[in-house]
Amino acid sequence: MKTTNHPARLARGLVRAGAAALLALAAGTAAAAWPERPVTLVVTYPPGGTVDVVARLIGPKLAEKLGQPVVIENRGGAGGMIGGATVSKAKPDGYTLMLDASNHAQNPALHSRMQFDTLADFAPVSLLLRVPNVLVVTPSYEVQSVADLIRLGKDMNKPVYFASAGPGSAQHLAGALFNLQAGTHLEHVAYKGGGPAMVDVMAGQVPVMFASLGSSWPHIKNGKLRAVAVGGGTRSPAVPELPTIAESGVKGYESYEWNAVFAPAGTPAPIIEQVSRTLAEVLKDPDVARSLAGIGAETIGSTPAELDVFRRAEIAKWQKVAKDAKITLE
């Protein structure tokens, strides 16, 4: 059957095409002018922690390269979800960015109800760095190796306890992953924060912790904690003599805490690309690189597409861990 294009239908199509072109032009113009005023970097953790340290390290360098101030705004609480809720509702114009941590991928695995959709509400910008978790013990504890911990952790008559910053924290999940892959039964002891947990491990109240290398490194150096193995896929340049948990008998074990920058969904792609490229330059700054290496961080500076692949894989990984370990939070 022969068809003809109705004049009204053609007119509507032209209007839609014209509107789309105008929107694209407007977005391109806005991106070309960006930034014209200060940029807010929302940090999903309180002041003083590793995420905040990273923000205040890169913030001034980012501001210098963008030619506008970068205002650090701490919105801590609920494992990063308070800050996430704030940014998910922000105008997607490039003037609000979010510095988040590994909770970005872990929260969807733990919470059945959240105030935002992690994948739909945030546009990936750059994976900045990874810091491997490290298995640490009280210096006087009998565990000298991963094999020792596996042996003790399989004895159901003498429970072995490990500390964490709280239910569903990165340290809790790192321990749960160890249990699943090593076949152990380590018992979880949740604290209200990583600081109190680490204090009790140093004091011997709880003998084991899967801590961030960044936060535990000063205590390892001064002998208040003993490092047994790192949780990264490869040995850490910060402590190359320390074996990985994977090479010590738990094949495939890999646990990092990481930091990444996101923007509200709908932020113009040219702005996202500009921020991503600029952050990669910031991470190559000698002072920044030296400071990050000092906390055991592996700098990355990924593209938005690489961060998207990474976060999806992380979400899938921790969803499986939470399901297999029967960890849920409401």
Side-chain angles (χ1 to χ4, degrees), residues 173-231:
L173 291 176
L177 179 64
F178 185 89
N179 273 338
L180 291 169
Q181 294 188 333
T184 52
H185 308 280
L186 307 182
E187 297 285 343
H188 176 225
V189 180
Y191 286 79
K192 292 183 177 179
M198 200 168 295
V199 166
D200 267 14
V201 175
M202 288 187 283
Q205 299 299 319
V206 180
V208 176
M209 186 173 182
F210 295 85
S212 165
L213 181 58
S215 59
S216 61
W217 183 235
H219 306 300
I220 294 170
K221 287 194 294 184
N222 66 22
K224 292 183 178 179
L225 288 172
R226 178 155 46 80
V228 177
V230 293

Coordinates of all heavy atoms in Angstrom, one line a residue, residues 173-231:
L173 N 31.7 -6.0 55.2 CA 31.6 -6.8 54.0 C 32.9 -7.5 53.6 O 32.9 -8.6 53.0 CB 31.1 -5.9 52.9 CG 29.7 -5.4 53.0 CD1 29.3 -4.4 51.9 CD2 28.7 -6.5 53.0
A174 N 34.0 -6.8 53.9 CA 35.3 -7.5 53.6 C 35.5 -8.8 54.4 O 36.0 -9.8 53.9 CB 36.5 -6.5 53.9
G175 N 35.0 -8.7 55.7 CA 35.1 -9.9 56.5 C 34.1 -11.0 56.1 O 34.4 -12.2 56.1
A176 N 32.9 -10.5 55.6 CA 31.9 -11.5 55.1 C 32.5 -12.2 53.9 O 32.3 -13.4 53.7 CB 30.6 -10.8 54.8
L177 N 33.1 -11.4 53.0 CA 33.7 -12.0 51.8 C 34.8 -13.0 52.2 O 34.9 -14.1 51.5 CB 34.3 -10.9 50.9 CG 35.0 -11.3 49.6 CD1 34.0 -11.9 48.7 CD2 35.7 -10.1 49.0
F178 N 35.6 -12.7 53.2 CA 36.6 -13.7 53.6 C 35.9 -14.9 54.1 O 36.4 -16.0 53.7 CB 37.4 -13.0 54.7 CG 38.6 -13.9 55.2 CD1 39.8 -13.7 54.6 CD2 38.4 -14.8 56.2 CE1 40.9 -14.5 55.0 CE2 39.5 -15.6 56.6 CZ 40.7 -15.4 56.0
N179 N 34.9 -14.8 54.9 CA 34.2 -16.0 55.4 C 33.7 -16.9 54.3 O 33.9 -18.1 54.3 CB 33.0 -15.6 56.3 CG 33.4 -15.4 57.7 OD1 34.4 -15.9 58.2 ND2 32.6 -14.6 58.5
L180 N 33.1 -16.3 53.3 CA 32.5 -17.0 52.1 C 33.6 -17.7 51.3 O 33.4 -18.9 50.9 CB 31.7 -16.1 51.3 CG 30.4 -15.5 51.8 CD1 29.9 -14.4 51.0 CD2 29.4 -16.6 52.0
Q181 N 34.7 -17.0 51.1 CA 35.7 -17.6 50.2 C 36.7 -18.5 50.9 O 37.3 -19.4 50.3 CB 36.5 -16.4 49.5 CG 35.6 -15.7 48.5 CD 36.3 -14.7 47.7 OE1 37.4 -14.2 48.1 NE2 35.8 -14.4 46.5
A182 N 36.9 -18.3 52.2 CA 37.8 -19.1 53.0 C 37.2 -20.2 53.7 O 37.8 -21.1 54.3 CB 38.6 -18.2 54.0
G183 N 35.8 -20.2 53.8 CA 35.1 -21.2 54.5 C 35.2 -21.1 56.0 O 35.1 -22.1 56.7
T184 N 35.4 -19.9 56.5 CA 35.6 -19.7 58.0 C 34.2 -19.2 58.6 O 33.3 -18.9 57.8 CB 36.7 -18.6 58.2 OG1 36.4 -17.4 57.4 CG2 38.0 -19.2 57.9
H185 N 34.3 -19.0 59.9 CA 33.1 -18.6 60.6 C 33.4 -17.4 61.6 O 33.0 -17.4 62.7 CB 32.5 -19.7 61.4 CG 32.2 -21.0 60.6 ND1 31.1 -21.1 59.8 CD2 32.9 -22.1 60.4 CE1 31.2 -22.3 59.2 NE2 32.3 -22.9 59.5
L186 N 34.2 -16.5 61.1 CA 34.5 -15.3 61.9 C 33.3 -14.6 62.3 O 32.4 -14.4 61.5 CB 35.5 -14.4 61.1 CG 36.7 -15.0 60.5 CD1 37.5 -13.8 59.8 CD2 37.6 -15.7 61.5
E187 N 33.2 -14.2 63.6 CA 32.0 -13.5 64.1 C 32.2 -12.0 64.1 O 33.3 -11.5 64.4 CB 31.8 -13.9 65.6 CG 31.5 -15.4 65.8 CD 30.1 -15.8 65.3 OE1 29.3 -14.8 65.2 OE2 29.8 -17.0 65.1
H188 N 31.2 -11.3 63.6 CA 31.3 -9.9 63.4 C 30.9 -9.1 64.6 O 29.9 -9.4 65.3 CB 30.3 -9.5 62.2 CG 30.2 -8.0 62.0 ND1 29.0 -7.4 61.8 CD2 31.2 -7.1 61.9 CE1 29.2 -6.1 61.6 NE2 30.5 -5.9 61.6
V189 N 31.7 -8.1 65.0 CA 31.5 -7.2 66.1 C 31.4 -5.8 65.5 O 32.4 -5.2 65.0 CB 32.5 -7.2 67.2 CG1 32.2 -6.3 68.3 CG2 32.7 -8.7 67.7
A190 N 30.2 -5.2 65.5 CA 30.0 -3.9 64.9 C 30.2 -2.7 65.9 O 29.7 -2.8 67.0 CB 28.6 -3.8 64.3
Y191 N 30.9 -1.7 65.5 CA 31.2 -0.5 66.3 C 30.5 0.7 65.6 O 30.0 0.6 64.4 CB 32.6 -0.3 66.4 CG 33.4 -1.2 67.3 CD1 33.7 -2.5 67.0 CD2 33.7 -0.8 68.6 CE1 34.4 -3.3 67.8 CE2 34.3 -1.6 69.5 CZ 34.7 -2.9 69.1 OH 35.3 -3.7 70.0
K192 N 30.4 1.8 66.3 CA 29.9 3.0 65.7 C 31.0 3.8 65.2 O 31.4 4.9 65.7 CB 29.1 3.8 66.8 CG 27.8 3.1 67.2 CD 27.0 3.9 68.2 CE 25.7 3.2 68.6 NZ 25.0 4.0 69.6
G193 N 31.6 3.3 64.1 CA 32.7 4.0 63.4 C 34.0 3.2 63.4 O 34.2 2.4 64.3
G194 N 34.8 3.5 62.4 CA 36.0 2.8 62.2 C 37.1 3.1 63.3 O 37.9 2.2 63.7
G195 N 37.0 4.3 63.8 CA 38.0 4.7 64.9 C 37.9 3.9 66.1 O 38.8 3.3 66.6
P196 N 36.7 3.8 66.7 CA 36.5 3.0 67.9 C 36.8 1.5 67.7 O 37.3 0.9 68.6 CB 35.0 3.2 68.3 CG 34.6 4.5 67.7 CD 35.4 4.6 66.4
A197 N 36.5 1.0 66.5 CA 36.8 -0.4 66.2 C 38.3 -0.6 66.2 O 38.7 -1.6 66.8 CB 36.2 -0.7 64.8
M198 N 39.0 0.3 65.6 CA 40.4 0.1 65.5 C 41.1 0.3 66.9 O 42.1 -0.5 67.2 CB 41.0 1.1 64.5 CG 42.4 0.7 64.0 SD 42.9 1.7 62.6 CE 41.7 1.3 61.4
V199 N 40.6 1.1 67.7 CA 41.1 1.3 69.1 C 41.0 0.0 69.8 O 41.9 -0.4 70.5 CB 40.4 2.4 69.8 CG1 40.7 2.4 71.3 CG2 40.8 3.8 69.2
D200 N 39.8 -0.7 69.7 CA 39.6 -1.9 70.4 C 40.5 -3.1 69.9 O 40.9 -4.0 70.6 CB 38.2 -2.3 70.4 CG 37.4 -1.8 71.7 OD1 38.0 -0.9 72.4 OD2 36.3 -2.2 71.9
V201 N 40.8 -3.0 68.6 CA 41.7 -4.0 68.0 C 43.1 -3.8 68.5 O 43.8 -4.8 68.9 CB 41.6 -4.0 66.5 CG1 42.7 -5.0 65.9 CG2 40.3 -4.4 66.0
M202 N 43.5 -2.6 68.6 CA 44.8 -2.3 69.1 C 44.9 -2.7 70.6 O 46.0 -3.2 71.1 CB 45.1 -0.8 69.0 CG 45.4 -0.4 67.6 SD 46.0 1.4 67.4 CE 44.5 2.3 67.6
A203 N 43.8 -2.6 71.3 CA 43.8 -2.9 72.8 C 43.6 -4.4 73.0 O 43.8 -4.9 74.1 CB 42.7 -2.1 73.5
G204 N 43.2 -5.1 72.0 CA 43.1 -6.6 72.1 C 41.7 -7.0 72.5 O 41.4 -8.2 72.8
Q205 N 40.7 -6.0 72.5 CA 39.3 -6.4 72.9 C 38.7 -7.3 71.8 O 37.9 -8.2 72.1 CB 38.5 -5.1 73.1 CG 39.0 -4.2 74.2 CD 39.0 -4.8 75.5 OE1 38.0 -5.6 75.9 NE2 40.0 -4.6 76.3
V206 N 39.0 -7.0 70.6 CA 38.6 -7.8 69.4 C 39.9 -8.0 68.6 O 40.6 -7.0 68.3 CB 37.6 -7.1 68.5 CG1 37.2 -7.9 67.3 CG2 36.3 -6.8 69.4
P207 N 40.3 -9.2 68.2 CA 41.6 -9.4 67.7 C 41.9 -9.1 66.2 O 43.0 -9.0 65.8 CB 41.9 -10.9 68.0 CG 40.5 -11.5 67.9 CD 39.6 -10.5 68.5
V208 N 40.8 -9.0 65.4 CA 41.0 -9.0 64.0 C 40.1 -7.9 63.4 O 39.1 -7.5 63.8 CB 40.5 -10.3 63.3 CG1 40.6 -10.3 61.8 CG2 41.3 -11.5 63.9
M209 N 40.7 -7.3 62.3 CA 39.9 -6.3 61.5 C 40.4 -6.3 60.1 O 41.6 -6.4 59.8 CB 40.1 -4.9 62.1 CG 39.2 -3.8 61.5 SD 39.3 -2.2 62.4 CE 38.2 -1.2 61.5
F210 N 39.4 -6.1 59.2 CA 39.8 -5.9 57.7 C 39.6 -4.4 57.5 O 38.6 -3.9 57.1 CB 38.8 -6.7 56.8 CG 38.9 -8.2 57.0 CD1 38.2 -8.9 58.0 CD2 39.7 -8.9 56.2 CE1 38.3 -10.2 58.2 CE2 39.9 -10.3 56.3 CZ 39.2 -11.0 57.3
A211 N 40.7 -3.7 57.8 CA 40.7 -2.2 57.8 C 41.2 -1.7 56.5 O 41.9 -2.3 55.7 CB 41.6 -1.7 58.9
S212 N 40.9 -0.4 56.3 CA 41.5 0.3 55.1 C 42.9 0.5 55.4 O 43.3 0.9 56.5 CB 40.8 1.7 54.9 OG 41.5 2.5 54.1
L213 N 43.8 0.3 54.4 CA 45.2 0.5 54.5 C 45.5 2.0 54.9 O 46.4 2.3 55.7 CB 45.9 0.1 53.3 CG 47.5 0.3 53.3 CD1 48.1 -0.5 54.4 CD2 48.1 -0.1 51.9
G214 N 44.7 2.9 54.4 CA 44.9 4.3 54.6 C 44.7 4.7 56.1 O 45.6 5.4 56.7
S215 N 43.7 4.2 56.7 CA 43.4 4.5 58.1 C 44.3 3.7 59.1 O 44.6 4.2 60.2 CB 42.0 4.3 58.5 OG 41.5 3.0 58.2
S216 N 44.7 2.5 58.7 CA 45.4 1.6 59.6 C 46.9 1.8 59.5 O 47.7 1.4 60.4 CB 45.0 0.2 59.4 OG 45.4 -0.2 58.1
W217 N 47.4 2.4 58.4 CA 48.8 2.4 58.1 C 49.7 3.1 59.2 O 50.7 2.6 59.7 CB 49.1 3.1 56.8 CG 50.5 3.1 56.4 CD1 51.2 4.2 56.0 CD2 51.4 2.0 56.3 NE1 52.5 3.9 55.7 CE2 52.7 2.6 55.8 CE3 51.3 0.7 56.5 CZ2 53.8 1.8 55.6 CZ3 52.5 -0.1 56.3 CH2 53.7 0.4 55.9
P218 N 49.2 4.2 59.8 CA 50.0 4.9 60.9 C 50.2 3.9 62.1 O 51.2 3.9 62.7 CB 49.2 6.1 61.2 CG 48.4 6.4 60.0 CD 48.1 5.1 59.4
H219 N 49.1 3.2 62.4 CA 49.2 2.2 63.5 C 50.0 1.0 63.2 O 50.6 0.4 64.2 CB 47.7 1.9 64.0 CG 46.8 3.0 64.2 ND1 47.1 4.0 65.2 CD2 45.7 3.4 63.6 CE1 46.2 4.9 65.2 NE2 45.3 4.6 64.2
I220 N 50.1 0.6 62.0 CA 50.9 -0.5 61.6 C 52.4 -0.1 61.7 O 53.2 -0.8 62.3 CB 50.6 -0.9 60.1 CG1 49.2 -1.5 60.0 CG2 51.7 -1.9 59.6 CD1 48.7 -1.8 58.6
K221 N 52.7 1.2 61.3 CA 54.0 1.7 61.3 C 54.6 1.8 62.8 O 55.7 1.6 63.0 CB 54.2 3.0 60.6 CG 54.1 2.9 59.1 CD 54.5 4.2 58.4 CE 53.6 5.3 58.7 NZ 54.0 6.5 57.9
N222 N 53.7 2.2 63.7 CA 54.1 2.4 65.1 C 54.0 1.2 65.9 O 54.2 1.2 67.1 CB 53.4 3.6 65.7 CG 51.9 3.4 65.9 OD1 51.4 2.3 66.0 ND2 51.2 4.5 66.1
G223 N 53.6 0.0 65.3 CA 53.5 -1.2 66.0 C 52.3 -1.5 66.8 O 52.2 -2.5 67.5
K224 N 51.3 -0.6 66.7 CA 50.1 -0.8 67.5 C 49.1 -1.8 66.8 O 48.2 -2.3 67.5 CB 49.4 0.5 67.8 CG 50.1 1.4 68.7 CD 49.4 2.7 69.0 CE 50.2 3.6 69.9 NZ 49.5 4.9 70.2
L225 N 49.4 -2.1 65.6 CA 48.6 -3.1 64.8 C 49.7 -3.9 64.1 O 50.7 -3.4 63.7 CB 47.6 -2.5 63.8 CG 46.4 -1.8 64.4 CD1 45.7 -1.1 63.2 CD2 45.5 -2.8 65.0
R226 N 49.4 -5.2 63.8 CA 50.2 -6.0 63.0 C 49.5 -6.4 61.7 O 48.4 -6.9 61.7 CB 50.7 -7.3 63.7 CG 51.6 -8.2 62.9 CD 52.4 -9.1 63.7 NE 51.7 -9.7 64.8 CZ 51.0 -10.8 64.7 NH1 50.8 -11.4 63.5 NH2 50.3 -11.3 65.7
A227 N 50.1 -6.0 60.6 CA 49.5 -6.3 59.3 C 49.8 -7.8 58.9 O 51.0 -8.2 59.0 CB 50.0 -5.4 58.2
V228 N 48.8 -8.5 58.4 CA 49.0 -9.9 58.0 C 49.0 -10.1 56.5 O 49.9 -10.7 55.9 CB 47.9 -10.8 58.6 CG1 48.1 -12.3 58.2 CG2 47.9 -10.7 60.1
A229 N 48.1 -9.4 55.8 CA 48.0 -9.5 54.4 C 47.1 -8.4 53.8 O 46.3 -7.9 54.6 CB 47.5 -10.8 53.9
V230 N 47.3 -8.0 52.6 CA 46.5 -6.9 52.0 C 45.4 -7.6 51.1 O 45.5 -8.7 50.6 CB 47.3 -6.0 51.1 CG1 48.2 -5.1 51.9 CG2 48.0 -6.7 50.0
G231 N 44.3 -6.8 51.0 CA 43.1 -7.4 50.3 C 43.1 -7.1 48.8 O 42.1 -7.4 48.2

